[in-house]
Amino acid sequence: MPANDARALPEATLNRLTRYLRALRALQVRGIERTSSGVLATEAGVNPAILRKDLSLLGSYGTRGVGYVVKDLADHIERTMGLDHPWNVAIIGAGNLGRALSGYGGFSNRGFNVKALLDSSADLIGTPVGKLRVQPVGSLSRVVEDLEINMAVLAIPSREAQQLVDELVEAGVRNILSFAQGALTVPDTVSLRRVDLSTELQILAYHAVQRSEEGTEK
């Protein structure tokens, strides 16, 4: 399970840790064994002072004048974020979004193994999607038990989301990512994150307008 200190980290720091990890693994691929905060910050696209503050929350993994050992720091970030734990993922919803997510190669590269794709449509059940075959959502409990599912992704209409969240919780899944609109309720023992694409687009539009206004002022 994720380290205890991961739960205490600020949300913004957690988001940046994923960027540091991606940058560190890219440095490894290039054969770089040590790096400085300045180089790592540039690779991750953040301010060096922010990077040093974030990493200080993880403990002392850098040496003044020497920098960071790339592999050691990457491994430590993975442990802190729980990425050294096996995550078996079920995607519920085999529509366009669910099918796209099931075929995303970046999941397996980061320790997330998509084990199942489920749907309620008779037209989709049994059809192959990559290496998977769509299973009936009615078999959710069995799939969770047989495949040791410990994380689920909801790619379904909002009207079905709460019922399926309840079924996932009943089946023992404690980590859920939802693309469905609207609020969902879960027990305190369950981690639920929502991805609202419309909200992200609105924020993107705001930043675009800000850049445009800055350019006009100049």
Side-chain angles (χ1 to χ4, degrees):
M1 295 301 293
N4 290 336
D5 57 350
R7 290 193 291 271
L9 293 175
E11 189 80 11
T13 296
L14 284 171
N15 287 333
R16 288 190 294 268
L17 285 181
T18 65
R19 295 160 67 179
Y20 305 154
L21 180 58
R22 184 166 57 247
L24 288 163
R25 292 310 187 196
L27 291 173
Q28 277 189 279
V29 170
R30 282 147 52 189
I32 298 173
E33 297 181 357
R34 288 184 177 273
T35 189
S36 66
S37 59
V39 170
L40 182 55
T42 298
E43 293 280 336
V46 302
N47 183 286
I50 291 177
L51 179 141
R52 288 191 292 270
K53 181 179 179 180
D54 287 339
L55 297 185
S56 71
L57 298 176
L58 307 185
S60 180
Y61 271 78
T63 304
R64 185 179 296 275
V66 177
Y68 302 98
V69 177
V70 171
K71 183 180 185 305
D72 289 352
L73 179 56
D75 290 347
H76 182 57
I77 291 176
E78 284 196 345
R79 288 193 300 272
T80 298
M81 299 191 71
L83 301 180
D84 59 337
H85 182 81
W87 294 108
N88 297 325
V89 182
I91 296 176
I92 302 175
N96 292 335
L97 177 59
R99 295 164 81 93
L101 291 171
S102 69
Y104 176 54
F107 287 149
S108 59
N109 293 338
R110 292 171 174 81
F112 299 96
N113 304 304
V114 179
K115 295 284 191 177
L117 178 62
L118 302 96
D119 203 280
S120 59
S121 171
D123 293 335
L124 295 176
I125 293 171
T127 60
V129 178
K131 297 180 180 179
L132 301 174
R133 191 170 293 275
V134 179
Q135 301 187 60
V137 75
S139 63
L140 180 60
S141 296
R142 177 185 57 77
V143 169
V144 168
E145 181 177 2
D146 291 350
L147 300 179
E148 299 181 338
I149 300 297
N150 50 15
M151 186 174 289
V153 177
L154 297 181
I156 55 175
S158 301
R159 63 181 180 277
E160 303 172 13
Q162 186 62 60
Q163 178 182 342
L164 284 167
V165 164
D166 294 342
E167 292 180 16
L168 285 166
V169 173
E170 180 68 23
V173 178
R174 295 292 179 263
N175 308 283
I176 302 170
L177 177 68
S178 175
F179 284 87
Q181 296 182 355
L184 297 170
T185 59
V186 295
D188 293 338
T189 55
V190 175
S191 296
L192 171 70
R193 291 188 65 87
R194 288 186 60 243
V195 179
D196 189 332
L197 296 179
S198 63
T199 296
E200 297 301 323
L201 288 172
Q202 290 169 7
I203 294 172
L204 185 61
Y206 166 79
H207 288 300
V209 171
Q210 291 295 108
R211 287 196 304 273
S212 176
E213 291 179 352
E214 290 173 0
T216 302
E217 291 174 0
K218 294 178 182 178

